[in-house]
Amino acid sequence: MTQQQKQEIKNIIEKEIEDLTVDIATIEEQLKPIKKDCSLDSIDHKMLKQQQNINIQRYEVAKIRLNKLKTAYLRIDTNEYGICKECEENINIERLKLLPESQYCITCMNELGL
C-alpha cells in the first residue's frame, strides 16, 4: 500500500470517527429514561420502550465500530495494516476504503463465517 493510499484511508477513518461520534451523541440523547406519562396508553408506552431498545442496539454497534476505527487508525502506519490476519495477503484497497477497520480479506472472512 502506498503512502498516498494510507493517507486517503486515514482521511476516511478520521471522517468516519467524526461522524460516528456525532451519531453516538445523538443516540445518547435518545437513551434517556422514559418517564411515565399519563397521556400514554400501554401501546404507546410499549412502542417507546421498543424504540429505546433499538436505540440501545444502535448505540452498542456504533461504539464497537468507533473502537475498531480508532484501532485501525493507530495501526495504519504499521506493516500489519491492510494485511489479512488469516492468510497474510493484502486486503483489497477498495475494501479498506469502505471498511477501514477490516482485518480479513473477503475470501478468509467468508471461509471463517464472519
PDB file of all heavy atoms in Angstrom, residues 65-89:
ATOM      1  N   ARG A  65     -17.972  -0.107  16.566  1.00  0.00           N
ATOM      2  CA  ARG A  65     -17.338   0.321  15.304  1.00  0.00           C
ATOM      3  C   ARG A  65     -16.372   1.473  15.557  1.00  0.00           C
ATOM      4  O   ARG A  65     -15.281   1.509  14.978  1.00  0.00           O
ATOM      5  CB  ARG A  65     -18.387   0.735  14.277  1.00  0.00           C
ATOM      6  CG  ARG A  65     -17.713   1.218  12.992  1.00  0.00           C
ATOM      7  CD  ARG A  65     -18.405   0.747  11.743  1.00  0.00           C
ATOM      8  NE  ARG A  65     -17.518   0.896  10.595  1.00  0.00           N
ATOM      9  CZ  ARG A  65     -17.582   1.912   9.737  1.00  0.00           C
ATOM     10  NH1 ARG A  65     -18.491   2.845   9.877  1.00  0.00           N
ATOM     11  NH2 ARG A  65     -16.723   1.964   8.722  1.00  0.00           N
ATOM     12  N   LEU A  66     -16.739   2.392  16.430  1.00  0.00           N
ATOM     13  CA  LEU A  66     -15.855   3.507  16.750  1.00  0.00           C
ATOM     14  C   LEU A  66     -14.535   2.998  17.317  1.00  0.00           C
ATOM     15  O   LEU A  66     -13.454   3.454  16.917  1.00  0.00           O
ATOM     16  CB  LEU A  66     -16.533   4.462  17.744  1.00  0.00           C
ATOM     17  CG  LEU A  66     -15.736   5.680  18.173  1.00  0.00           C
ATOM     18  CD1 LEU A  66     -15.417   6.573  16.984  1.00  0.00           C
ATOM     19  CD2 LEU A  66     -16.497   6.460  19.241  1.00  0.00           C
ATOM     20  N   ASN A  67     -14.604   2.039  18.212  1.00  0.00           N
ATOM     21  CA  ASN A  67     -13.381   1.462  18.782  1.00  0.00           C
ATOM     22  C   ASN A  67     -12.541   0.764  17.715  1.00  0.00           C
ATOM     23  O   ASN A  67     -11.314   0.882  17.708  1.00  0.00           O
ATOM     24  CB  ASN A  67     -13.710   0.506  19.923  1.00  0.00           C
ATOM     25  CG  ASN A  67     -14.194   1.238  21.156  1.00  0.00           C
ATOM     26  OD1 ASN A  67     -13.858   2.392  21.382  1.00  0.00           O
ATOM     27  ND2 ASN A  67     -15.003   0.576  21.958  1.00  0.00           N
ATOM     28  N   LYS A  68     -13.202   0.049  16.800  1.00  0.00           N
ATOM     29  CA  LYS A  68     -12.475  -0.621  15.722  1.00  0.00           C
ATOM     30  C   LYS A  68     -11.800   0.392  14.799  1.00  0.00           C
ATOM     31  O   LYS A  68     -10.672   0.192  14.354  1.00  0.00           O
ATOM     32  CB  LYS A  68     -13.411  -1.520  14.913  1.00  0.00           C
ATOM     33  CG  LYS A  68     -13.822  -2.772  15.648  1.00  0.00           C
ATOM     34  CD  LYS A  68     -14.765  -3.611  14.795  1.00  0.00           C
ATOM     35  CE  LYS A  68     -15.165  -4.879  15.505  1.00  0.00           C
ATOM     36  NZ  LYS A  68     -16.066  -5.710  14.680  1.00  0.00           N
ATOM     37  N   LEU A  69     -12.491   1.495  14.527  1.00  0.00           N
ATOM     38  CA  LEU A  69     -11.905   2.534  13.674  1.00  0.00           C
ATOM     39  C   LEU A  69     -10.708   3.197  14.351  1.00  0.00           C
ATOM     40  O   LEU A  69      -9.692   3.467  13.702  1.00  0.00           O
ATOM     41  CB  LEU A  69     -12.958   3.584  13.317  1.00  0.00           C
ATOM     42  CG  LEU A  69     -13.990   3.170  12.285  1.00  0.00           C
ATOM     43  CD1 LEU A  69     -15.145   4.161  12.234  1.00  0.00           C
ATOM     44  CD2 LEU A  69     -13.351   3.028  10.914  1.00  0.00           C
ATOM     45  N   LYS A  70     -10.826   3.435  15.639  1.00  0.00           N
ATOM     46  CA  LYS A  70      -9.703   4.029  16.371  1.00  0.00           C
ATOM     47  C   LYS A  70      -8.498   3.092  16.372  1.00  0.00           C
ATOM     48  O   LYS A  70      -7.358   3.539  16.221  1.00  0.00           O
ATOM     49  CB  LYS A  70     -10.115   4.375  17.814  1.00  0.00           C
ATOM     50  CG  LYS A  70     -11.035   5.572  17.888  1.00  0.00           C
ATOM     51  CD  LYS A  70     -11.435   5.861  19.325  1.00  0.00           C
ATOM     52  CE  LYS A  70     -12.311   7.094  19.420  1.00  0.00           C
ATOM     53  NZ  LYS A  70     -12.703   7.377  20.821  1.00  0.00           N
ATOM     54  N   THR A  71      -8.751   1.813  16.525  1.00  0.00           N
ATOM     55  CA  THR A  71      -7.669   0.824  16.474  1.00  0.00           C
ATOM     56  C   THR A  71      -7.036   0.795  15.091  1.00  0.00           C
ATOM     57  O   THR A  71      -5.811   0.761  14.956  1.00  0.00           O
ATOM     58  CB  THR A  71      -8.204  -0.574  16.853  1.00  0.00           C
ATOM     59  OG1 THR A  71      -8.743  -0.515  18.172  1.00  0.00           O
ATOM     60  CG2 THR A  71      -7.111  -1.622  16.790  1.00  0.00           C
ATOM     61  N   ALA A  72      -7.868   0.827  14.049  1.00  0.00           N
ATOM     62  CA  ALA A  72      -7.353   0.838  12.672  1.00  0.00           C
ATOM     63  C   ALA A  72      -6.505   2.083  12.438  1.00  0.00           C
ATOM     64  O   ALA A  72      -5.455   2.011  11.795  1.00  0.00           O
ATOM     65  CB  ALA A  72      -8.507   0.785  11.675  1.00  0.00           C
ATOM     66  N   TYR A  73      -6.944   3.201  12.977  1.00  0.00           N
ATOM     67  CA  TYR A  73      -6.197   4.456  12.810  1.00  0.00           C
ATOM     68  C   TYR A  73      -4.810   4.347  13.442  1.00  0.00           C
ATOM     69  O   TYR A  73      -3.831   4.823  12.884  1.00  0.00           O
ATOM     70  CB  TYR A  73      -6.981   5.619  13.423  1.00  0.00           C
ATOM     71  CG  TYR A  73      -6.400   6.963  13.091  1.00  0.00           C
ATOM     72  CD1 TYR A  73      -6.661   7.575  11.870  1.00  0.00           C
ATOM     73  CD2 TYR A  73      -5.580   7.632  13.997  1.00  0.00           C
ATOM     74  CE1 TYR A  73      -6.131   8.808  11.556  1.00  0.00           C
ATOM     75  CE2 TYR A  73      -5.039   8.864  13.688  1.00  0.00           C
ATOM     76  CZ  TYR A  73      -5.321   9.453  12.465  1.00  0.00           C
ATOM     77  OH  TYR A  73      -4.778  10.681  12.155  1.00  0.00           O
ATOM     78  N   LEU A  74      -4.749   3.710  14.595  1.00  0.00           N
ATOM     79  CA  LEU A  74      -3.458   3.527  15.265  1.00  0.00           C
ATOM     80  C   LEU A  74      -2.560   2.541  14.518  1.00  0.00           C
ATOM     81  O   LEU A  74      -1.340   2.648  14.571  1.00  0.00           O
ATOM     82  CB  LEU A  74      -3.665   3.045  16.707  1.00  0.00           C
ATOM     83  CG  LEU A  74      -4.342   4.036  17.649  1.00  0.00           C
ATOM     84  CD1 LEU A  74      -4.641   3.376  18.992  1.00  0.00           C
ATOM     85  CD2 LEU A  74      -3.495   5.283  17.827  1.00  0.00           C
ATOM     86  N   ARG A  75      -3.158   1.584  13.819  1.00  0.00           N
ATOM     87  CA  ARG A  75      -2.398   0.543  13.118  1.00  0.00           C
ATOM     88  C   ARG A  75      -1.999   0.929  11.695  1.00  0.00           C
ATOM     89  O   ARG A  75      -1.146   0.276  11.101  1.00  0.00           O
ATOM     90  CB  ARG A  75      -3.234  -0.741  13.032  1.00  0.00           C
ATOM     91  CG  ARG A  75      -3.447  -1.437  14.350  1.00  0.00           C
ATOM     92  CD  ARG A  75      -4.279  -2.711  14.224  1.00  0.00           C
ATOM     93  NE  ARG A  75      -3.673  -3.653  13.308  1.00  0.00           N
ATOM     94  CZ  ARG A  75      -4.296  -4.200  12.260  1.00  0.00           C
ATOM     95  NH1 ARG A  75      -5.542  -3.914  12.001  1.00  0.00           N
ATOM     96  NH2 ARG A  75      -3.683  -5.059  11.478  1.00  0.00           N
ATOM     97  N   ILE A  76      -2.604   1.979  11.148  1.00  0.00           N
ATOM     98  CA  ILE A  76      -2.435   2.245   9.720  1.00  0.00           C
ATOM     99  C   ILE A  76      -0.985   2.508   9.315  1.00  0.00           C
ATOM    100  O   ILE A  76      -0.584   2.200   8.200  1.00  0.00           O
ATOM    101  CB  ILE A  76      -3.358   3.387   9.238  1.00  0.00           C
ATOM    102  CG1 ILE A  76      -3.491   3.329   7.723  1.00  0.00           C
ATOM    103  CG2 ILE A  76      -2.857   4.734   9.723  1.00  0.00           C
ATOM    104  CD1 ILE A  76      -4.641   4.114   7.171  1.00  0.00           C
ATOM    105  N   ASP A  77      -0.184   3.017  10.204  1.00  0.00           N
ATOM    106  CA  ASP A  77       1.222   3.286   9.879  1.00  0.00           C
ATOM    107  C   ASP A  77       2.141   2.100  10.164  1.00  0.00           C
ATOM    108  O   ASP A  77       3.351   2.212  10.022  1.00  0.00           O
ATOM    109  CB  ASP A  77       1.708   4.537  10.617  1.00  0.00           C
ATOM    110  CG  ASP A  77       1.077   5.804  10.050  1.00  0.00           C
ATOM    111  OD1 ASP A  77       0.889   5.872   8.816  1.00  0.00           O
ATOM    112  OD2 ASP A  77       0.756   6.719  10.828  1.00  0.00           O
ATOM    113  N   THR A  78       1.559   0.980  10.547  1.00  0.00           N
ATOM    114  CA  THR A  78       2.368  -0.217  10.783  1.00  0.00           C
ATOM    115  C   THR A  78       2.337  -1.093   9.533  1.00  0.00           C
ATOM    116  O   THR A  78       1.513  -0.893   8.638  1.00  0.00           O
ATOM    117  CB  THR A  78       1.838  -1.041  11.978  1.00  0.00           C
ATOM    118  OG1 THR A  78       0.571  -1.607  11.617  1.00  0.00           O
ATOM    119  CG2 THR A  78       1.693  -0.187  13.226  1.00  0.00           C
ATOM    120  N   ASN A  79       3.204  -2.063   9.498  1.00  0.00           N
ATOM    121  CA  ASN A  79       3.233  -3.001   8.379  1.00  0.00           C
ATOM    122  C   ASN A  79       2.081  -4.002   8.440  1.00  0.00           C
ATOM    123  O   ASN A  79       1.826  -4.712   7.468  1.00  0.00           O
ATOM    124  CB  ASN A  79       4.565  -3.755   8.351  1.00  0.00           C
ATOM    125  CG  ASN A  79       5.715  -2.838   8.005  1.00  0.00           C
ATOM    126  OD1 ASN A  79       5.533  -1.813   7.361  1.00  0.00           O
ATOM    127  ND2 ASN A  79       6.904  -3.187   8.460  1.00  0.00           N
ATOM    128  N   GLU A  80       1.393  -4.077   9.576  1.00  0.00           N
ATOM    129  CA  GLU A  80       0.302  -5.032   9.745  1.00  0.00           C
ATOM    130  C   GLU A  80      -0.995  -4.558   9.107  1.00  0.00           C
ATOM    131  O   GLU A  80      -1.835  -5.373   8.738  1.00  0.00           O
ATOM    132  CB  GLU A  80       0.044  -5.276  11.238  1.00  0.00           C
ATOM    133  CG  GLU A  80       1.191  -5.932  11.963  1.00  0.00           C
ATOM    134  CD  GLU A  80       0.945  -5.981  13.467  1.00  0.00           C
ATOM    135  OE1 GLU A  80      -0.190  -5.718  13.909  1.00  0.00           O
ATOM    136  OE2 GLU A  80       1.903  -6.275  14.186  1.00  0.00           O
ATOM    137  N   TYR A  81      -1.159  -3.237   8.988  1.00  0.00           N
ATOM    138  CA  TYR A  81      -2.427  -2.712   8.464  1.00  0.00           C
ATOM    139  C   TYR A  81      -2.596  -3.103   6.997  1.00  0.00           C
ATOM    140  O   TYR A  81      -1.682  -2.987   6.194  1.00  0.00           O
ATOM    141  CB  TYR A  81      -2.522  -1.192   8.606  1.00  0.00           C
ATOM    142  CG  TYR A  81      -3.858  -0.674   8.133  1.00  0.00           C
ATOM    143  CD1 TYR A  81      -4.973  -0.771   8.950  1.00  0.00           C
ATOM    144  CD2 TYR A  81      -4.017  -0.146   6.863  1.00  0.00           C
ATOM    145  CE1 TYR A  81      -6.212  -0.342   8.521  1.00  0.00           C
ATOM    146  CE2 TYR A  81      -5.252   0.286   6.420  1.00  0.00           C
ATOM    147  CZ  TYR A  81      -6.339   0.184   7.253  1.00  0.00           C
ATOM    148  OH  TYR A  81      -7.576   0.609   6.814  1.00  0.00           O
ATOM    149  N   GLY A  82      -3.793  -3.558   6.667  1.00  0.00           N
ATOM    150  CA  GLY A  82      -4.091  -3.926   5.291  1.00  0.00           C
ATOM    151  C   GLY A  82      -3.679  -5.339   4.934  1.00  0.00           C
ATOM    152  O   GLY A  82      -3.800  -5.756   3.787  1.00  0.00           O
ATOM    153  N   ILE A  83      -3.197  -6.091   5.929  1.00  0.00           N
ATOM    154  CA  ILE A  83      -2.797  -7.479   5.732  1.00  0.00           C
ATOM    155  C   ILE A  83      -3.814  -8.369   6.446  1.00  0.00           C
ATOM    156  O   ILE A  83      -4.114  -8.169   7.621  1.00  0.00           O
ATOM    157  CB  ILE A  83      -1.374  -7.750   6.291  1.00  0.00           C
ATOM    158  CG1 ILE A  83      -0.350  -6.789   5.700  1.00  0.00           C
ATOM    159  CG2 ILE A  83      -0.978  -9.208   6.088  1.00  0.00           C
ATOM    160  CD1 ILE A  83      -0.149  -6.915   4.211  1.00  0.00           C
ATOM    161  N   CYS A  84      -4.326  -9.361   5.743  1.00  0.00           N
ATOM    162  CA  CYS A  84      -5.306 -10.282   6.313  1.00  0.00           C
ATOM    163  C   CYS A  84      -4.687 -11.050   7.479  1.00  0.00           C
ATOM    164  O   CYS A  84      -3.578 -11.585   7.359  1.00  0.00           O
ATOM    165  CB  CYS A  84      -5.788 -11.246   5.231  1.00  0.00           C
ATOM    166  SG  CYS A  84      -6.960 -12.482   5.830  1.00  0.00           S
ATOM    167  N   LYS A  85      -5.409 -11.114   8.590  1.00  0.00           N
ATOM    168  CA  LYS A  85      -4.915 -11.825   9.774  1.00  0.00           C
ATOM    169  C   LYS A  85      -4.884 -13.339   9.570  1.00  0.00           C
ATOM    170  O   LYS A  85      -4.159 -14.037  10.269  1.00  0.00           O
ATOM    171  CB  LYS A  85      -5.782 -11.491  10.988  1.00  0.00           C
ATOM    172  CG  LYS A  85      -5.601 -10.068  11.489  1.00  0.00           C
ATOM    173  CD  LYS A  85      -6.546  -9.762  12.629  1.00  0.00           C
ATOM    174  CE  LYS A  85      -5.996 -10.324  13.911  1.00  0.00           C
ATOM    175  NZ  LYS A  85      -6.792  -9.905  15.085  1.00  0.00           N
ATOM    176  N   GLU A  86      -5.628 -13.832   8.600  1.00  0.00           N
ATOM    177  CA  GLU A  86      -5.705 -15.274   8.377  1.00  0.00           C
ATOM    178  C   GLU A  86      -4.682 -15.741   7.347  1.00  0.00           C
ATOM    179  O   GLU A  86      -3.840 -16.584   7.628  1.00  0.00           O
ATOM    180  CB  GLU A  86      -7.130 -15.661   7.938  1.00  0.00           C
ATOM    181  CG  GLU A  86      -7.356 -17.129   7.767  1.00  0.00           C
ATOM    182  CD  GLU A  86      -7.360 -17.898   9.074  1.00  0.00           C
ATOM    183  OE1 GLU A  86      -7.473 -17.312  10.164  1.00  0.00           O
ATOM    184  OE2 GLU A  86      -7.234 -19.128   9.008  1.00  0.00           O
ATOM    185  N   CYS A  87      -4.749 -15.189   6.122  1.00  0.00           N
ATOM    186  CA  CYS A  87      -3.891 -15.682   5.033  1.00  0.00           C
ATOM    187  C   CYS A  87      -2.636 -14.819   4.821  1.00  0.00           C
ATOM    188  O   CYS A  87      -1.769 -15.184   4.046  1.00  0.00           O
ATOM    189  CB  CYS A  87      -4.679 -15.761   3.733  1.00  0.00           C
ATOM    190  SG  CYS A  87      -5.156 -14.163   3.041  1.00  0.00           S
ATOM    191  N   GLU A  88      -2.579 -13.689   5.493  1.00  0.00           N
ATOM    192  CA  GLU A  88      -1.447 -12.760   5.429  1.00  0.00           C
ATOM    193  C   GLU A  88      -1.227 -12.169   4.041  1.00  0.00           C
ATOM    194  O   GLU A  88      -0.133 -11.725   3.713  1.00  0.00           O
ATOM    195  CB  GLU A  88      -0.178 -13.406   5.979  1.00  0.00           C
ATOM    196  CG  GLU A  88      -0.315 -13.788   7.438  1.00  0.00           C
ATOM    197  CD  GLU A  88       0.935 -14.386   8.036  1.00  0.00           C
ATOM    198  OE1 GLU A  88       1.935 -14.555   7.318  1.00  0.00           O
ATOM    199  OE2 GLU A  88       0.906 -14.678   9.246  1.00  0.00           O
ATOM    200  N   GLU A  89      -2.293 -12.142   3.227  1.00  0.00           N
ATOM    201  CA  GLU A  89      -2.257 -11.474   1.918  1.00  0.00           C
ATOM    202  C   GLU A  89      -2.812 -10.056   2.091  1.00  0.00           C
ATOM    203  O   GLU A  89      -3.471  -9.753   3.083  1.00  0.00           O
ATOM    204  CB  GLU A  89      -3.099 -12.245   0.900  1.00  0.00           C
ATOM    205  CG  GLU A  89      -2.574 -13.631   0.585  1.00  0.00           C
ATOM    206  CD  GLU A  89      -1.241 -13.624  -0.146  1.00  0.00           C
ATOM    207  OE1 GLU A  89      -1.015 -12.719  -0.963  1.00  0.00           O
ATOM    208  OE2 GLU A  89      -0.427 -14.530   0.115  1.00  0.00           O
TER     209      GLU A  89
END
